Amino acid sequence: MHEFDFDEFVNAKLTGGINIDTGWRCRLKCPACIRTQSIGTDRLKSAKDLTMNAWRKMLEIDSASMQLCGQISDPIYHPRFIEMLKIRQEEYPNVKLKIYTNGSGKKDKWWDQVIELSKGLEHKDDWIFGLDGATQEIANIYRVGTNFDNVWSVMERLAKEDTMTTVWQFIVFEHNKHQLEDAYKMAKDINVVFKELWTSRDTIEVPAAKKADTANQDLIFRF
């Protein structure tokens, strides 16, 4: 039997990055998300918001990157998320963040603070926005509750900042694959990195797209 090597495990995490679920809050109701399935009920009931003490301990690990990609939460809805960014900026400016979010519902003043707290860092943060369609009607089929215009305006704004990298993550489903090329062109027009994701998320309501012959990877970045 293979013996578990703890040091090897830790080193792999430090090299590849660590993912953190910051809490339990999200405003969307995606069909394949654990939040909308019975299996997620207990996890939601037991989940709590990440404390600032725990956040500091995470940052002290000094990983290659700290990824905030929630399984049951969206990081921007943590009630102290701005404080989390401030702690990182002032105390751990060497730590790069990769922040995955649907991006909906925050006011301009909130994003003003995000931009300010992205300055003076050793590495640019990656802001990855989940928007699975090039129009409100299509994007809302899977990411139920999203606001396309709101998310688009945020991406357009952040893309102008040289202190962060803005990424549009487009999960390809049967219902939105016809918009894939249009979405890529739109992203290019505003200088956003386009992340094309062929998914295994497959539900009766929202079936996953079958790969085209030209799509030989699960994940395709376009610049």
Side-chain angles (χ1 to χ4, degrees), residues 46-173:
S46 62
K48 297 180 181 179
D49 290 317
L50 186 72
T51 66
M52 296 306 98
N53 184 48
W55 175 235
R56 283 187 169 92
K57 289 181 178 179
M58 294 289 183
L59 293 171
E60 286 170 2
I61 294 174
D62 192 21
S63 174
S65 68
M66 198 67 66
Q67 179 170 287
L68 307 183
C69 183
Q71 301 302 305
I72 59 173
S73 69
D74 186 313
I76 70 171
Y77 304 122
H78 189 292
R80 299 173 70 180
F81 187 72
I82 293 298
E83 184 179 349
M84 289 170 62
L85 294 182
K86 187 174 182 180
I87 289 171
R88 190 282 307 268
Q89 183 197 53
E90 294 180 350
E91 301 176 30
Y92 306 91
N94 61 304
V95 179
K96 174 186 175 71
L97 298 181
K98 294 182 180 180
I99 303 160
Y100 288 76
T101 180
N102 77 78
S104 294
K106 294 294 185 179
K107 296 181 179 180
D108 288 343
K109 289 184 178 180
W110 192 89
W111 290 108
D112 287 343
Q113 295 178 83
V114 167
I115 292 170
E116 193 62 31
L117 292 170
S118 71
K119 299 175 181 177
L121 305 173
E122 293 186 19
H123 311 282
K124 290 183 179 181
D125 286 340
D126 294 341
W127 277 83
I128 300 99
F129 291 87
L131 196 60
D132 309 320
T135 60
Q136 171 65 28
E137 179 184 9
I138 299 299
N140 195 58
I141 291 175
Y142 180 70
R143 295 191 186 267
V144 179
T146 197
N147 184 321
F148 181 90
D149 290 339
N150 182 196
V151 181
W152 182 259
S153 66
V154 172
M155 289 198 299
E156 191 171 23
R157 181 181 180 189
L158 297 192
K160 296 175 182 177
E161 300 295 327
D162 61 4
T163 56
M164 61 182 71
T165 300
T166 307
V167 181
W168 178 358
Q169 177 179 281
F170 188 111
I171 301 179
V172 188
F173 294 96

